[in-house]
Amino acid sequence: MDTEQKLERKNQTCSIPDDLAIKIVSNLEIWDVCALSGCCRFWRELCSSDWLWEDLCRERWPSLDSSERSSVEGWRCFYIKRHKEMADGANVVANFVKQNSPTKSLEVGDYLRSIEQLYTRGLGFKDVVILLFASKESALLNLVGVHYSIFLLGVPADLVLEALRSCHISERLVCVRWWKLGRWFYGFRLRDESRCRRVSLGDLVSDKEEEVLGVLHRGTIHEVLRVQISVADGPCTLWG
């Protein structure tokens, strides 16, 4: 049944004008489309339209190649299959982070490896927002998503900050500690330096904490001997 036929049926159950009904479903997020489809037969048929699911697919995966979808596969089925692939990839990374942070602390080597895994599995920014920025996930996994979005996907910081705020996780705190070799001064090497910063996810994507994000991105290199990230449940203390 095409869209026009579905709209003709609409008059029996709904008084919303045809063009408005199409505009409504065209501007909904995926979860709202699924919820609306349960209202009545008209909305269920309209919300399952192939043109709508094609738009949802291209919005979530802008670089999508149509050849990735088989000719006999509807866009809704393709969306569900692709979402499952991305969710499975995100779960692998989430389990990796959890296994390597039994005390809610993650060494920077494991942190950077988790970001590489996201890149290998091809997650896009919408995938990150839906799967990694969920409030049920740990602040460490949220941070992995932030870093991946900025450095590997090249998403502008203001868009990342907007997504953090819409997911209500921008104020979540992490503690970043790093240990640097002492500088040489007139032939003498000064004492090693241990630094600690307690920061919010929102501040990390702004200019306020550019140094901390740079430390996380570089990892243990040159004079930096160790970097550790932890959930800031309490005070952020220096290493002994």
Short mmCIF file of all heavy atoms in Angstrom, two decimals, residues 112 115-120 123 144 146-155 217:
data_model
loop_
_atom_site.label_atom_id
_atom_site.label_comp_id
_atom_site.label_asym_id
_atom_site.label_seq_id
_atom_site.Cartn_x
_atom_site.Cartn_y
_atom_site.Cartn_z
N LEU A 112 42.96 4.17 24.94
CA LEU A 112 43.17 4.45 23.53
C LEU A 112 42.84 3.23 22.67
O LEU A 112 42.37 3.38 21.53
CB LEU A 112 44.62 4.89 23.30
CG LEU A 112 44.99 6.25 23.91
CD1 LEU A 112 46.48 6.53 23.74
CD2 LEU A 112 44.17 7.37 23.29
N ILE A 115 39.16 3.17 21.93
CA ILE A 115 38.81 4.14 20.89
C ILE A 115 39.13 3.57 19.51
O ILE A 115 38.36 3.72 18.55
CB ILE A 115 39.54 5.47 21.13
CG1 ILE A 115 39.03 6.12 22.42
CG2 ILE A 115 39.38 6.41 19.95
CD1 ILE A 115 39.84 7.29 22.89
N GLU A 116 40.26 2.87 19.40
CA GLU A 116 40.62 2.22 18.13
C GLU A 116 39.59 1.16 17.75
O GLU A 116 39.26 0.99 16.57
CB GLU A 116 42.00 1.59 18.24
CG GLU A 116 43.14 2.60 18.35
CD GLU A 116 44.47 1.93 18.65
OE1 GLU A 116 44.50 0.69 18.76
OE2 GLU A 116 45.48 2.65 18.78
N GLN A 117 39.06 0.46 18.73
CA GLN A 117 38.05 -0.56 18.46
C GLN A 117 36.78 0.07 17.89
O GLN A 117 36.14 -0.50 17.00
CB GLN A 117 37.73 -1.34 19.74
CG GLN A 117 38.83 -2.28 20.18
CD GLN A 117 38.43 -3.08 21.41
OE1 GLN A 117 37.26 -3.25 21.71
NE2 GLN A 117 39.42 -3.58 22.14
N LEU A 118 36.39 1.21 18.41
CA LEU A 118 35.22 1.91 17.86
C LEU A 118 35.43 2.26 16.40
O LEU A 118 34.53 2.09 15.56
CB LEU A 118 34.94 3.19 18.65
CG LEU A 118 34.37 3.04 20.06
CD1 LEU A 118 34.22 4.41 20.71
CD2 LEU A 118 33.01 2.34 20.03
N TYR A 119 36.63 2.74 16.09
CA TYR A 119 36.94 3.12 14.71
C TYR A 119 36.91 1.90 13.79
O TYR A 119 36.37 1.95 12.68
CB TYR A 119 38.31 3.79 14.66
CG TYR A 119 38.70 4.26 13.28
CD1 TYR A 119 38.12 5.41 12.75
CD2 TYR A 119 39.63 3.57 12.52
CE1 TYR A 119 38.45 5.85 11.47
CE2 TYR A 119 39.97 4.00 11.25
CZ TYR A 119 39.38 5.14 10.74
OH TYR A 119 39.71 5.56 9.47
N THR A 120 37.45 0.79 14.27
CA THR A 120 37.47 -0.44 13.48
C THR A 120 36.06 -0.91 13.16
O THR A 120 35.78 -1.42 12.07
CB THR A 120 38.22 -1.55 14.23
OG1 THR A 120 39.57 -1.12 14.47
CG2 THR A 120 38.25 -2.84 13.42
N LEU A 123 31.61 2.90 13.91
CA LEU A 123 30.50 3.65 14.52
C LEU A 123 30.54 5.11 14.09
O LEU A 123 31.60 5.73 14.03
CB LEU A 123 30.57 3.57 16.04
CG LEU A 123 29.85 2.37 16.69
CD1 LEU A 123 30.64 1.09 16.47
CD2 LEU A 123 29.63 2.61 18.17
N VAL A 144 35.13 7.85 26.43
CA VAL A 144 35.63 7.19 25.22
C VAL A 144 34.87 7.69 23.99
O VAL A 144 35.45 7.99 22.95
CB VAL A 144 35.51 5.65 25.35
CG1 VAL A 144 35.74 4.97 24.00
CG2 VAL A 144 36.52 5.12 26.37
N VAL A 146 33.30 10.58 23.69
CA VAL A 146 33.67 11.98 23.46
C VAL A 146 34.97 12.07 22.67
O VAL A 146 35.06 12.78 21.65
CB VAL A 146 33.81 12.73 24.79
CG1 VAL A 146 34.47 14.10 24.58
CG2 VAL A 146 32.45 12.91 25.46
N HIS A 147 35.98 11.36 23.12
CA HIS A 147 37.30 11.38 22.49
C HIS A 147 37.23 10.88 21.04
O HIS A 147 37.77 11.50 20.13
CB HIS A 147 38.26 10.50 23.29
CG HIS A 147 39.70 10.68 22.94
ND1 HIS A 147 40.70 10.75 23.88
CD2 HIS A 147 40.33 10.78 21.74
CE1 HIS A 147 41.86 10.89 23.28
NE2 HIS A 147 41.66 10.91 21.97
N TYR A 148 36.52 9.79 20.85
CA TYR A 148 36.36 9.20 19.51
C TYR A 148 35.67 10.18 18.56
O TYR A 148 36.09 10.35 17.41
CB TYR A 148 35.55 7.90 19.64
CG TYR A 148 35.15 7.28 18.33
CD1 TYR A 148 36.10 6.65 17.52
CD2 TYR A 148 33.82 7.28 17.90
CE1 TYR A 148 35.74 6.06 16.32
CE2 TYR A 148 33.44 6.69 16.71
CZ TYR A 148 34.40 6.08 15.92
OH TYR A 148 34.04 5.49 14.73
N SER A 149 34.63 10.85 19.04
CA SER A 149 33.87 11.77 18.20
C SER A 149 34.72 12.96 17.75
O SER A 149 34.67 13.37 16.59
CB SER A 149 32.63 12.28 18.96
OG SER A 149 31.76 11.22 19.28
N ILE A 150 35.53 13.50 18.68
CA ILE A 150 36.31 14.70 18.37
C ILE A 150 37.53 14.39 17.51
O ILE A 150 37.77 15.03 16.48
CB ILE A 150 36.75 15.40 19.67
CG1 ILE A 150 35.53 15.98 20.39
CG2 ILE A 150 37.77 16.50 19.38
CD1 ILE A 150 35.84 16.59 21.73
N PHE A 151 38.30 13.38 17.90
CA PHE A 151 39.58 13.13 17.24
C PHE A 151 39.51 12.21 16.03
O PHE A 151 40.26 12.38 15.07
CB PHE A 151 40.59 12.58 18.24
CG PHE A 151 41.09 13.60 19.22
CD1 PHE A 151 40.59 13.64 20.51
CD2 PHE A 151 42.03 14.54 18.85
CE1 PHE A 151 41.04 14.59 21.42
CE2 PHE A 151 42.49 15.50 19.74
CZ PHE A 151 41.99 15.53 21.03
N LEU A 152 38.62 11.21 16.04
CA LEU A 152 38.56 10.29 14.92
C LEU A 152 37.44 10.59 13.94
O LEU A 152 37.60 10.38 12.73
CB LEU A 152 38.45 8.83 15.42
CG LEU A 152 39.80 8.18 15.73
CD1 LEU A 152 40.34 8.71 17.04
CD2 LEU A 152 39.70 6.67 15.77
N LEU A 153 36.31 11.09 14.43
CA LEU A 153 35.22 11.44 13.53
C LEU A 153 35.28 12.90 13.09
O LEU A 153 34.63 13.28 12.12
CB LEU A 153 33.86 11.14 14.19
CG LEU A 153 33.57 9.68 14.52
CD1 LEU A 153 32.18 9.56 15.13
CD2 LEU A 153 33.66 8.80 13.27
N GLY A 154 36.02 13.71 13.84
CA GLY A 154 36.14 15.12 13.49
C GLY A 154 34.87 15.92 13.72
O GLY A 154 34.63 16.92 13.04
N VAL A 155 34.07 15.51 14.69
CA VAL A 155 32.83 16.23 15.00
C VAL A 155 33.18 17.52 15.74
O VAL A 155 33.96 17.50 16.69
CB VAL A 155 31.89 15.35 15.86
CG1 VAL A 155 30.61 16.11 16.20
CG2 VAL A 155 31.57 14.05 15.15
N HIS A 217 44.89 12.27 24.59
CA HIS A 217 45.10 11.94 23.19
C HIS A 217 46.51 11.44 22.92
O HIS A 217 46.72 10.52 22.13
CB HIS A 217 44.78 13.16 22.32
CG HIS A 217 44.83 12.89 20.85
ND1 HIS A 217 44.05 11.92 20.25
CD2 HIS A 217 45.57 13.44 19.86
CE1 HIS A 217 44.30 11.89 18.95
NE2 HIS A 217 45.22 12.81 18.70
#
